[in-house]
Every structure is written in C-alpha cells, then in structure tokens.
Amino acid sequence: MQFAELYQPVSDVVFNKAKKIKLLICDIDGVFSDGRIYLGNHGEELKAFNTKDGFGIKALIQSGVEVAVITGRHSQIVQQRMTSLTVKYIYQGQEDKLIAYADLKAKLGLADDEVAYIGDDSPDMPVMEKVGFAVAVNDAHPIIRHLSHYTTLLPGGYGAVRELTDLIMLSQNKPLGYQGTSA
C-alpha cells in the first residue's frame, strides 16, 4: 500500500529524505500530546498519549530505526511512556535541544541527513534546521510548518507521529505495524 492512499501525497524529495532515516527524534508536548497539560488540585501533571503513535514508535524501532525524544520540560509521565515504548534515548529538561542532538549524533555515529525530527514550535527550530528530514505536525506554529520538509496531515497527539513512522517505514520498504500486544 502506498503512503498517499493512507494519508496524503508526498513528493519524491520527501520520500527520498525519509528513505535515509536511521534516527527519528520527537518533541513531546504538541507532538506526542495535543500540547495541553492537565494539572490536578495537588500539582499532579497529566498528559494524554495516542496509542496509534505508540504502535508506530514500536514498529519503527522493531524495523531497525532508532527513536529518541528531546523535550524542554521534565516529566515522570514522559519517562514512563517512552520507557514503555522501548525508546532508549530520552532527553528531558533540554532548554538547548542542539546539545542533546549533538550527543545523539555522536553516540550513534550518524550524519544530519540520517536524522528526522518532528516538532511543533520555536524550541524545535535549531534542530529542525540541522536534520536531513524536518517534519511539522499539522497544527504546528506557522514558522515551523514553513521550515519543515513535510507537514503531517494529522495534528499532534492525534496520530501525527504514527503518520511519520509509516512514511519512514514505507519509504524503506518495511512492513507497517508492530508485532506485539500493547503500545
């Protein structure tokens, strides 16, 4: 099945960028979540995550592509969710996301064109300007959409990450879907 049948048409340039990807880096708020933060009466923080995104991340990892998250906030919820998805590289509290990006590239021995980044707002810009494949969620700030090579059909927190993982896997002739029971 072709990507355009599932989501939307993509150019050959976008498809070829996705084909080279060995590492996907994701922002959290506004990408894995819809950007809203729920606060309880006792200061507890809650976030909603989409299981479709979870299945996409697990499938991408299972296909041999590494996944990392870089987020400016620090949250135990994020640590728990990403650990449950078997994401090995979790960078939280990163005011300067380029530091984490450089660390990831060095650890994995990757070039910029082998890295994709999906973001939604200005803190994501420095990394998006470096990577080979910059992706904006559909409801990203307009400057991020303008900067990106691809804008998802779906908004953050509603399957945008799954859309991107499907694009990467299809461009690399890998089967879609996670061979497991939970995400």
Side-chain angles (χ1 to χ4, degrees):
M1 181 170 289
Q2 295 200 357
F3 185 79
E5 294 173 44
L6 298 173
Y7 298 100
Q8 62 184 334
V10 294
S11 70
D12 289 341
V13 170
V14 165
F15 203 72
N16 288 329
K17 285 181 178 294
K19 192 180 290 190
K20 296 178 186 176
I21 299 308
K22 294 181 181 175
L23 170 65
L24 169 60
I25 303 172
C26 304
D27 180 33
I28 295 291
D29 295 319
V31 174
F32 264 102
S33 75
D34 63 8
R36 294 185 288 177
I37 298 168
Y38 300 90
L39 298 174
N41 287 329
H42 304 288
E44 66 271 22
E45 182 178 304
L46 303 173
K47 295 178 189 284
F49 295 102
N50 191 309
T51 58
K52 291 180 183 88
D53 292 336
F55 274 107
I57 290 297
K58 282 188 156 185
L60 191 64
I61 292 169
Q62 202 171 59
S63 80
V65 175
E66 294 284 355
V67 175
V69 296
I70 303 175
T71 179
R73 296 176 50 83
H74 195 283
S75 167
Q76 187 58 35
I77 296 167
V78 169
Q79 186 71 38
Q80 290 171 350
R81 180 63 176 149
M82 293 304 119
T83 299
S84 76
L85 296 177
T86 69
V87 173
K88 289 189 244 178
Y89 307 100
I90 304 166
Y91 294 83
Q92 296 197 68
Q94 302 294 305
E95 287 188 34
D96 182 351
K97 293 185 177 191
L98 283 175
I99 295 169
Y101 176 64
D103 186 61
L104 279 165
K105 279 186 21 181
K107 278 182 182 170
L108 298 172
L110 297 175
D112 289 332
D113 69 343
E114 297 173 307
V115 182
Y117 185 97
I118 183 168
D120 73 310
D121 214 331
S122 55
D124 303 313
M125 283 179 66
V127 178
M128 291 179 77
E129 291 172 335
K130 297 256 184 216
V131 298
F133 188 32
V135 178
V137 295
N138 184 279
D139 57 338
H141 188 279
I143 198 161
I144 296 301
R145 290 174 54 154
H146 180 73
L147 173 67
S148 71
H149 300 112
Y150 177 73
T151 299
T152 63
L153 177 68
L154 299 170
Y158 293 93
V161 173
R162 176 64 180 268
E163 180 180 338
L164 176 55
T165 62
D166 285 356
L167 174 56
I168 293 168
M169 288 187 294
L170 285 171
S171 73
Q172 297 178 4
N173 293 313
K174 297 174 180 175
L176 296 183
Y178 165 64
Q179 303 304 312
T181 57
S182 66

